[in-house]
Amino acid sequence: MTSETESNRSSVSRVPRVLDVSVTLSSLVFWAIVLYWARTQGWARVKYGVIFIGAILTVYALDQTRQAYEGGDRIDAAVLLPASIVLITASVYFAMNFERVYVHQQGYAFEHEYMLARLIILSILYLTWREFGNLFLGLVGGVILYGMYGNMAPGILNHGGMTELTLLQSLVTDLYGFYGSLTQLTAAWIAPFLLYAGLLFAYGAFDLILRVAIESANYIRSGVAQTAVLSSTVIGSINGSYTANAAMTGSFTIPTMKDSGMASHRAAAIEAVASTSGQVLPPVMGASAFVMASYLGVAYLSIVVAGIVPAAILVASVGIAVHYTAISDASSQEMDFTEFFDEELSNRQKLTEAVRFGIPFFVLIYFLGIAQYTVMTAALWTIVSMVLTGVFFPMVQRLIDDSVFGALSEFVTQFWNTIHGFRRGAIILAPIAIILAAVNGVVDIFSVTGVPNKIALLLIDLSGGVLLLAVLLAMLVSILMGVGMPTVAAYVIVAILIAPTLISDFGIPEITAHYTVFYAAILAGITPPVATAAVVTAGIAEANFWRVCGAAIKIAAPLFVLPIAFVYNPGMISMSFGLTTVIAGSLVLLGAITMIYGLNYPFRMGFGRRLALRLALTVVGTVVMVYPGRYVKLAGIALFVGVFVMEKVMVRGMKLPFLRGVGQ
């Protein structure tokens, strides 16, 4: 009996190891499929999208089953596996019968295919609930119900309703819906870049970013807080979810800020704002740049160019706000390097690492911006160059410093790092692929039922045709649609529902309208009462949620004004970067700084005077950011400069509190 028990325990303990190996192997097979298609495009894009869903869900099912098994949650694993198997089986079936299903059977299907479609919808609903919670399940499920029973909806939202078979055809059997354009875009464009992100993680690029950020603390008084901003924004721009980014980077930045003497709610607010702001940073923009390029029918690089000035305004204003927030707590803002790393890098090692990660980035820029290759081809060669530099640069360095055996040992290490990078890239991608498949279904139902046109009529009616009111209403809807969603999913929804109205009915340029709703959608991360990024960081910091939200709004105040500023200053968002863009962006930036200064600067004066000054500067900053007339902007900037100089002369004796060691 004892030997039988020990045998059972041994077999149980082997299960997580087998699943772990299976995740790695399935990830390698998945990326082989993706890279093969990027190189050859040997299948039709629709067929590739079908295969892509089955392959990435194989990785997801194995990885999540492993986690459930290790956590002792057998029920979760028992439900997860059937749902995943349904979707994997469906992908195999539709891929093998692609021509019959997609070409010859548009508009009808066999009964067993309808039954499979019902199971697919249930599986998608379960996986979206499992990964993103009740809110997103309510959105997807609610839209499906609206598609079927829209004839019962009140007023302008009423439509004729969809029969069950029409719904099944729209979502599944016609290979649109869940397998539609957004899923295909994810497979073709977004997936390779997330492999690039996985390799960057595995080779230590983000360790290098953190090292640079920590060393910068020696030169900036708010060094610890700025480290959080730098690391979180850079990482957040790639991983595509402000909530996930807040959890990942906040786990080390928030305790560090607290240890330096910063108040818990301010530390949490800084991380929440940094994670949210990172979603708009070019060149990836949380993967939204690729989708925006597809919707607008322009080159991906044009979207990146258009986003440079708005992102620069946001990063600069947040950086200044964080500086004022940090020094107002009188925290030490000194970082102990040994808390994060065992040893410092020599100057030669720093240069080697910079070249190691810089070459693939310049390969990307060259192929996209100069050679004008497709996104897929550019991503493919970027990945190839990242693997080459990631593996061989450390080998050469070990060969110079050590020996041939040391170089061989380094090769083995970097080989396994490469494998881990492929695995990590697939694991990062899987939840994004699931939610975008679900959103694709939502978008398809919206298109069939004419919801975008109904929203347009509703916006016009509520705003009375007044542009400012229309933009404010569009921002409100965008924030509501962005709650709890990854960045790219939130953008897709608002790009379908809101942007067309701003373009067609209010004459806003296409690129401006899309950036307006995109920036508004990410505000959900720090806007109460949901504020998912603030929820995560407040939990890590053990701080009051509402105080975190209040501090975050003060720090990120210009972000709430920027979408309106885009509309009234369209010159600052341009796909052809020029002097007009720079001037428009610079004036808006000065308005943002005025607002930040008013809300966050540690003024030395009585409460009443301080409150009045903060309110006045916030209003002036808002006017400078939004008002289209240049003379009004210059007058507001002159007023800010006057207040700034007077405060230095009358209170601080012209001693600027920006550099370490300067008294206040």
Side-chain angles (χ1 to χ4, degrees):
M1 180 67 71
T2 302
S3 61
E4 184 179 345
T5 302
E6 290 178 353
S7 176
N8 290 336
R9 288 177 179 172
S10 176
S11 63
V12 169
S13 65
R14 284 197 297 269
V15 172
R17 291 201 298 272
V18 171
L19 287 171
D20 193 61
V21 172
S22 299
V23 172
T24 301
L25 292 176
S26 62
S27 298
L28 294 175
V29 172
F30 167 74
W31 287 120
I33 293 171
V34 171
L35 296 177
Y36 164 78
W37 192 83
R39 180 70 181 88
T40 66
Q41 298 186 38
W43 302 306
R45 188 155 172 159
V46 179
K47 184 176 182 179
Y48 170 55
V50 170
I51 295 171
F52 170 84
I53 287 293
I56 193 61
L57 277 166
T58 302
V59 178
Y60 178 81
L62 290 170
D63 180 59
Q64 294 299 310
T65 302
R66 174 189 63 81
Q67 292 185 34
Y69 202 94
E70 290 177 348
D73 192 349
R74 305 295 174 83
I75 296 177
D76 185 30
V79 179
L80 170 66
L81 275 177
S84 301
I85 289 171
V86 165
L87 292 168
I88 294 165
T89 303
S91 290
V92 173
Y93 176 83
F94 288 132
M96 292 180 65
N97 299 277
F98 177 74
E99 187 168 341
R100 174 176 62 79
V101 172
Y102 185 68
V103 178
H104 302 299
Q105 280 187 197
Q106 285 292 303
Y108 75 95
F110 296 128
E111 182 55 39
H112 68 275
E113 291 170 341
Y114 285 131
M115 183 56 67
L116 180 60
R118 294 183 184 98
L119 294 175
I120 289 170
I121 292 173
L122 290 175
S123 299
I124 287 285
L125 288 173
Y126 168 71
L127 292 179
T128 53
W129 168 79
R130 187 181 184 279
E131 196 64 39
F132 299 99
N134 295 330
L135 197 64
F136 192 71
L137 173 65
L139 172 65
V140 179
V143 171
I144 290 175
L145 292 175
Y146 173 72
M148 292 186 66
Y149 303 108
N151 57 314
M152 301 172 62
I156 195 173
L157 295 177
N158 183 274
H159 68 86
M162 301 170 68
T163 66
E164 183 194 6
L165 293 187
T166 302
L167 182 75
L168 296 177
Q169 290 162 8
S170 179
L171 290 180
V172 181
T173 60
D174 285 350
L175 299 187
Y176 293 105
F178 297 141
Y179 300 106
S181 59
L182 191 55
T183 295
Q184 296 160 30
L185 184 68
T186 305
W189 287 13
I190 296 176
F193 278 89
L194 290 180
L195 173 56
Y196 177 43
L199 292 171
L200 287 173
F201 273 104
Y203 291 138
F206 295 106
D207 285 345
L208 181 64
I209 292 169
L210 184 57
R211 285 177 182 271
V212 171
I214 291 172
E215 291 195 11
S216 71
N218 296 321
Y219 307 99
I220 305 174
R221 290 185 59 197
S222 55
V224 174
Q226 299 295 357
T227 295
V229 173
L230 177 60
S231 58
S232 296
T233 50
V234 172
I235 297 172
S237 70
I238 296 175
N239 70 12
S241 171
Y242 47 71
T243 306
N245 189 59
M248 181 173 62
T249 58
S251 61
F252 67 82
T253 59
I254 291 173
T256 305
M257 285 188 278
K258 288 176 64 178
D259 289 344
S260 73
M262 184 176 291
S264 297
H265 69 283
R266 290 196 179 100
I270 288 171
E271 177 58 44
V273 171
S275 295
T276 301
S277 301
Q279 304 303 304
V280 303
L281 284 190
V284 181
M285 293 163 52
S288 299
F290 310 115
V291 183
M292 192 181 296
S294 176
Y295 278 160
L296 295 180
V298 299
Y300 159 75
L301 193 64
S302 298
I303 300 299
V304 173
V305 170
I308 290 175
V309 169
I313 293 169
L314 182 60
V315 170
S317 58
V318 167
I320 294 170
V322 166
H323 175 79
Y324 289 147
T325 301
I327 64 174
S328 68
D329 275 352
S331 52
S332 65
Q333 294 295 302
E334 293 179 357
M335 299 189 75
D336 185 358
F337 195 90
T338 58
E339 289 183 12
F340 298 92
F341 305 102
D342 295 330
E343 58 184 18
E344 294 192 42
L345 297 178
S346 65
N347 288 333
R348 191 187 73 181
Q349 288 174 319
K350 292 175 185 176
L351 178 62
T352 301
E353 289 293 281
V355 175
R356 180 189 184 197
F357 296 114
I359 288 176
F361 182 74
F362 283 112
V363 167
L364 174 63
I365 297 301
Y366 171 77
F367 279 113
L368 278 179
I370 300 174
Q372 298 288 310
Y373 279 42
T374 65
V375 173
M376 291 173 294
T377 303
L380 176 64
W381 287 112
T382 301
I383 290 165
V384 170
S385 61
M386 185 70 261
V387 171
L388 292 176
T389 60
V391 172
F392 290 107
F393 268 56
M395 278 184 62
V396 172
Q397 189 166 347
R398 281 291 295 274
L399 184 63
I400 295 171
D401 295 340
D402 193 353
S403 63
V404 174
F405 294 106
L408 292 175
S409 174
E410 186 65 34
F411 173 79
V412 172
T413 299
Q414 296 305 327
F415 171 80
W416 287 112
N417 282 343
T418 304
I419 299 299
H420 291 317
F422 276 69
R423 172 181 167 136
R424 180 158 193 160
I427 291 173
I428 293 172
L429 172 63
I432 295 175
I434 290 170
I435 194 172
L436 289 182
V439 168
N440 213 145
V442 168
V443 169
D444 201 59
I445 292 175
F446 280 161
S447 299
V448 171
T449 56
V451 167
N453 294 331
K454 299 174 190 297
I455 294 291
L457 292 173
L458 197 59
L459 270 180
I460 295 171
D461 185 49
L462 291 175
S463 67
V466 178
L467 178 59
L468 179 59
L469 290 178
V471 174
L472 291 174
L473 287 169
M475 286 181 61
L476 177 61
V477 175
S478 298
I479 292 171
L480 292 174
M481 290 292 134
V483 170
M485 287 197 197
T487 305
V488 66
Y491 165 67
V492 168
I493 294 292
V494 297
I496 294 293
L497 292 181
I498 309 300
T501 304
L502 298 179
I503 296 165
S504 60
D505 295 300
F506 291 93
I508 298 173
E510 275 192 319
I511 186 68
T512 303
H514 278 260
Y515 264 97
T516 297
V517 297
F518 172 49
Y519 268 65
I522 69 164
L523 287 170
I526 54 174
T527 304
V530 181
T532 48
V535 168
V536 171
T537 58
I540 296 173
E542 298 179 342
N544 178 273
F545 167 74
W546 293 102
R547 294 191 72 190
V548 171
C549 287
I553 290 172
K554 283 178 62 179
I555 293 169
L559 180 55
F560 289 84
V561 182
L562 270 175
I564 307 171
F566 295 160
V567 172
Y568 287 96
N569 302 269
M572 64 187 291
I573 301 180
S574 174
M575 290 184 281
S576 56
F577 197 85
L579 183 60
T580 302
T581 305
V582 173
I583 293 174
S586 299
L587 292 174
V588 173
L589 173 60
L590 289 171
I593 293 173
T594 302
M595 182 183 297
I596 287 297
Y597 181 79
L599 288 172
N600 298 277
Y601 188 77
F603 292 109
R604 294 177 177 176
M605 58 183 67
F607 175 77
R609 292 174 58 195
R610 186 168 67 247
L611 181 62
L613 184 58
R614 290 193 189 284
L615 180 61
L617 287 173
T618 302
V619 172
V620 169
T622 303
V623 171
V624 172
M625 289 184 69
V626 173
Y627 195 81
R630 189 167 296 181
Y631 292 113
V632 172
K633 288 181 183 293
L634 292 175
I637 293 167
L639 181 60
F640 161 64
V641 171
V643 172
F644 183 88
V645 173
M646 286 179 62
E647 198 274 340
K648 296 298 173 291
V649 171
M650 298 175 63
V651 179
R652 301 180 187 270
M654 290 302 293
K655 293 183 179 180
L656 302 179
F658 296 106
L659 301 176
R660 183 183 296 277
V662 179
Q664 296 187 24

